[in-house]
Amino acid sequence: MSKADRPDQPNAASRFNEEQATYAVRGADTPDLETGTAAIRNVLKTLPLKPGVYRMHDARGEILYVGKARALKNRVGNYVQIDRLPNRLRRMVALTRSMTIVTTNSEAEALLLEAQLIKRYRPAYNVLLRDDKSFPFILLRADHKFPRIQKHRGARRNKGHYYGPFASAGSVNQTLNALQKLFLLRSCSDSFFNNRDRPCLLYQIKRCSAPCVGRIDDQSYDGLVADAKSFLDGKSSAVQAKLAKEMEGAAEALDFERAAMLRDRLKALTFIQGSQAINAQGVGDADIFALAHRNGVMGIQAFFIRGGQNWGHRSFFPSHVAEMTEDEVFTSFLAQFYEDVPPAKNILLDRELTEADLLAEALSERAERKIEISVPQRGDRVRLVKQATRNAEEALDRRLAESTTQGKLLQEVADLFELPEPPRRIEIYDNSHIQGTNALGAMVVAGPEGFIKGQYRKFNIKQVATDDDFAMMREVFQRRFARAQEDDPDRDSGQWPDLVLIDGGKGQMSSVKAALEEIGVDDVPLIAIAKGPHHGRDGREVFHFPDGRELTLPVNAPVLFYLQRLRDEVHRYAIGAHRAKRSKAITVSPLDEVPGVGPSRKKALLLHFGTARAVRNASLEDLQKAPGVSAAVAQTVYDFYHAGG
């Protein structure tokens, strides 16, 4: 499938017919199997025997599940055969009140669309790839006379060659560092490049050839770029042979300085080859996956091999896998994984999948080249899959051990703060400002599996103009929980906290307690964390309860370390957000507030008067004399700053 034909493209309307099912049974939010079955039966009347994707909605319109089908009528019809459904799907049917149907031209297109919608909506009953980190790539730009090599994340809009994915930023940085030593390609921005009149430090430490100041000609630099492409394409032996031959020739010509430089480049090449954790020579481009399953938890290990080089590995732990088969989880994981990552030519698995051929067809359409999915039977590929399997099992063991430890910590938190059960959602709050300027509040969220960064929130302080930290905290809580009451009054979305931690002492606790009482929220557990009598230098913290009680813990208590980590995370997030806001404020001009003054007129006024203050103090006659400023604009600016006459 070409990009233009993908369901998320604007011109795809003629290929994908999406419609809300005409017959929607509305009912209460409470699960009702008969009502849910009736809603699905009514939809069945309108369904064709065509491939497509269906979405199940609850009474509020929230998406419960996204599924694909070779024949929509047959697949959706299975949901009304209640006796054959597992408990998980029975619960889903009981909540279903309406459906949305999308028809596609093929089952492969349906598979791609299903993965796209799951990533977008993250339904409660789908297997979810829980990974909020995009994969880094190495980009060799092709939009400059002297191409730049750099790390890249996100959309691939720049013209050039992309190499990856790499498993982590660390593996990219290590490879880039070695590539700079090996090929001496520039890594600086174009603006930095254009303004150099002498080589920078990278040239001095032999990590750049300094094309910015003419220390290398176009042809020689192009040769370095070609060598870098060859190496990243897996032809490292050819590059090594070429460098060795050039070094030998330089030595014979008694050009010992060049010979030494080539020797250093060969050392860098040897380092890269030796730093590969596994030997993948002869494998070419391949992604290797293995799944491990124990105690209801599934872990998937991925190795990325490009050009016979190991570019790292990463562990994944999909969520919502209860009552799901390994085949279903693995297939759904791969479809979602390749929604954002370009697939390798070969995808090697540790087991056969029922829909492997369909998945290969869908990925081939998207990549516009042939993708093969296979289970190796012999040779080096079998060895690599076995290594991935071993890593998957070891990663799962670590995950289960960490979960056990985390579970114990959360139980201790519940016992410590008198909660009825271990908290599933903990919200931690802090404020950051400098004497009341650029003030904001911050909220971070933690759960049984760690920090949930996608649910962090910032609150720009709007109602407090001074450095009153108590009033700021009061505003944050009023806004947060007033919105929660409006959006989720029944508290069944999982977005209400089981415990709230406040970075502060008695004053912050009193402010928060009063703010929540004002809006009628009196059952959210609150705890304030304050530095001890020696300002935390001895590792002690004081925990303040709403009723005025105080509690301290032994300095070596594991639960204390856990609570401190939560507090430190919100502190880090608040300070980072405040710095970003302050940096942005520095670039803001008072002229931005004047209506009708765009960038060009603002520039003309600043060039003429020098500063925004001078513009504000200028007379109407002086404003009219500024080049590029009409009489009407001059009057607008003058009236804005002299509204009182």
Side-chain angles (χ1 to χ4, degrees), residues 1-8 12-17 50-54 66-70 72 102-117 335 339 357-366:
M1 183 190 301
S2 67
K3 182 178 180 181
D5 291 333
R6 286 181 55 180
D8 58 340
S14 60
R15 295 173 57 80
F16 297 93
N17 177 27
K50 291 182 178 180
V53 173
Y54 56 93
V66 175
K68 63 118 178 81
R70 180 185 298 112
L72 283 165
V102 184
T103 57
T104 61
N105 288 334
S106 68
E107 190 180 5
E109 289 183 351
L111 178 63
L112 294 176
L113 179 58
E114 177 195 38
Q116 180 191 127
L117 294 176
E339 175 66 21
D357 292 341
L358 174 64
L359 184 60
E361 178 187 351
L363 295 179
S364 298
E365 286 188 16
R366 170 167 292 177

Side-chain angles (χ1 to χ4, degrees), residues 259-304:
M261 181 192 69
L262 292 167
R263 178 203 60 202
D264 292 342
R265 292 175 61 190
L266 273 171
K267 284 183 179 179
L269 176 58
T270 304
F271 170 80
I272 297 177
Q273 292 171 331
S275 65
Q276 305 301 320
I278 59 176
N279 179 16
Q281 291 295 323
V283 176
D285 292 349
D287 292 336
I288 303 167
F289 296 94
L291 182 145
H293 183 194
R294 196 177 306 115
N295 298 338
V297 180
M298 296 191 196
I300 297 175
Q301 187 76 16
F303 280 89
F304 307 111

Side-chain angles (χ1 to χ4, degrees), residues 268-435:
L269 176 58
T270 304
F271 170 80
I272 297 177
Q273 292 171 331
S275 65
Q276 305 301 320
I278 59 176
N279 179 16
Q281 291 295 323
V283 176
D285 292 349
D287 292 336
I288 303 167
F289 296 94
L291 182 145
H293 183 194
R294 196 177 306 115
N295 298 338
V297 180
M298 296 191 196
I300 297 175
Q301 187 76 16
F303 280 89
F304 307 111
I305 310 297
R306 295 296 184 272
Q309 302 174 40
N310 174 29
W311 284 358
H313 58 92
R314 186 184 290 187
S315 300
F316 301 88
F317 299 93
S319 59
H320 302 177
V321 299
E323 300 182 38
M324 301 281 286
T325 66
E326 294 180 359
D327 187 280
E328 291 176 301
V329 171
F330 214 165
T331 302
S332 182
F333 164 83
L334 291 171
Q336 293 179 53
F337 178 83
Y338 286 118
E339 175 66 21
D340 299 320
V341 177
K345 178 181 178 182
N346 296 297
I347 299 174
L348 309 180
L349 308 180
D350 67 337
R351 68 196 65 205
E352 297 285 352
L353 295 181
T354 304
E355 295 187 330
D357 292 341
L358 174 64
L359 184 60
E361 178 187 351
L363 295 179
S364 298
E365 286 188 16
R366 170 167 292 177
E368 299 180 342
R369 53 187 170 84
K370 185 172 179 58
I371 305 297
E372 294 184 0
I373 299 178
S374 62
V375 180
Q377 302 299 321
R378 62 181 65 87
D380 290 338
R381 297 187 175 193
V382 170
R383 175 179 54 78
L384 292 173
V385 170
K386 286 182 177 178
Q387 185 159 0
T389 301
R390 185 170 63 253
N391 276 266
E393 292 171 349
E394 292 172 353
L396 183 60
D397 288 340
R398 291 192 295 272
R399 178 77 167 194
L400 292 173
E402 291 170 359
S403 298
T404 301
T405 303
Q406 186 81 351
K408 291 180 180 178
L409 286 172
L410 291 174
Q411 183 61 58
E412 288 188 48
V413 169
D415 295 340
L416 187 67
F417 299 136
E418 303 168 0
L419 305 178
E421 58 184 7
R424 302 287 302 174
R425 179 184 176 94
I426 303 175
E427 294 182 358
I428 313 98
Y429 291 84
D430 190 16
N431 293 332
S432 185
H433 60 91
I434 296 179
Q435 295 182 339

Side-chain angles (χ1 to χ4, degrees), residues 449-497:
E449 297 183 359
F451 292 110
I452 310 173
K453 296 190 175 182
Q455 297 185 24
Y456 287 15
R457 293 292 180 268
K458 294 176 289 188
F459 300 84
N460 288 316
I461 302 299
K462 302 175 181 178
Q463 303 168 9
V464 182
T466 66
D467 58 351
D468 186 344
D469 196 58
F470 301 155
M472 291 179 187
M473 193 68 76
R474 185 163 54 246
E475 177 184 338
V476 168
F477 273 80
Q478 286 176 336
R479 288 165 56 186
R480 158 69 176 109
F481 286 93
R483 179 66 180 269
Q485 282 186 310
E486 179 182 344
D487 293 346
D488 186 20
D490 297 327
R491 306 190 185 185
D492 55 6
S493 67
Q495 300 302 303
W496 279 77

Side-chain angles (χ1 to χ4, degrees), residues 4 76 123 137 153-154 207 231 246 255 386 391 477 513 530 568 609 615:
V76 175
F137 287 75
R153 284 187 188 269
R207 293 191 183 181
F231 176 81
E246 290 181 3
D255 188 352
K386 286 182 177 178
N391 276 266
F477 273 80
K513 185 179 177 182
D568 292 345
F609 289 98
V615 175

